[in-house]
Amino acid sequence: MPEETHGTFYEAMGGAETIRRIVEAFYPKVQAHPLLGPLFPEDIRPVMEKQYMFLSQFFGGPPLYSERYGHPMMRARHLPFPITKERAEAWLGCMKQALEETGMEPSLRDAVLERLRGPAYHFVNS
Ligand code: HEM
């Protein structure tokens, strides 16, 4: 593992393989959710790939997203979509289930979820 990922969430979570598994578990739940599914394109693969790249860097791994797409500006990138508080909660709920499915230790899982809670509510725009 590269030096610069030592002591990061990324490393504690299990690196690229775990992030991949989280994303794979997460999007089927998002697509099936009545409040979230309609916002997403039928072909979810490109979104999954972007999320894999973003979460890798968000948790302290390699900056895959920025290398490809530039500054994340995530709130701005979400502005075209009507994100309500209910949708933020639904998103976090799907993520909680996805993290559970990866078998992540509960204390780490809660810490990961806590890191995502801020951005999720910050993206509320409707
Ligand atoms: C708060 C509830 C959220 C909703 C309803 C939501 C919804 C969406 C939607 C509809 C897209 C666009 C899909 C497309 O390409 O058509 C998207 C993209 C994305 N979302 Fe979210 N999102 C939420 C929270 C988050 C959070 C908390 C993160 C990460 C911290 C995140 C990361 C991303 C990324 C990385 C993309 C791809 C951006 C790109 O196009 O480059 N989202 N989201």
Side-chain angles (χ1 to χ4, degrees):
M1 189 158 299
E3 277 292 320
E4 59 271 20
T5 65
H6 281 321
T8 62
F9 267 68
Y10 180 80
E11 187 185 55
M13 289 162 77
E17 197 195 313
T18 308
I19 305 274
R20 189 63 83 185
R21 282 166 53 219
I22 293 167
V23 168
E24 296 283 340
F26 176 65
Y27 280 99
K29 300 181 198 317
V30 165
Q31 285 183 299
H33 195 290
L35 285 177
L36 300 175
L39 298 182
F40 286 84
E42 201 173 315
D43 179 12
I44 200 73
R45 277 281 144 197
V47 182
M48 290 172 84
E49 195 53 32
K50 285 174 170 173
Q51 188 64 275
Y52 167 73
M53 296 171 116
F54 180 78
L55 290 179
S56 295
Q57 83 182 50
F58 183 79
F59 286 113
L64 305 176
Y65 185 92
S66 292
E67 279 168 11
R68 179 92 174 259
Y69 299 106
H71 193 289
M73 305 181 301
M74 270 306 147
R75 188 171 194 280
R77 290 189 206 264
H78 283 79
L79 283 179
F81 308 99
I83 302 188
T84 57
K85 186 170 157 278
E86 289 70 27
R87 285 194 167 115
E89 280 157 8
W91 192 102
L92 290 165
C94 292
M95 183 55 78
K96 182 170 193 222
Q97 284 181 31
L99 295 172
E100 281 167 2
E101 275 178 31
T102 64
M104 192 176 288
E105 183 217 327
S107 64
L108 179 60
R109 182 196 67 210
D110 290 347
V112 165
L113 215 51
E114 203 48 45
R115 287 277 288 251
L116 291 168
R117 196 176 307 278
Y121 284 103
H122 180 60
F123 299 165
V124 171
N125 57 28
S126 300

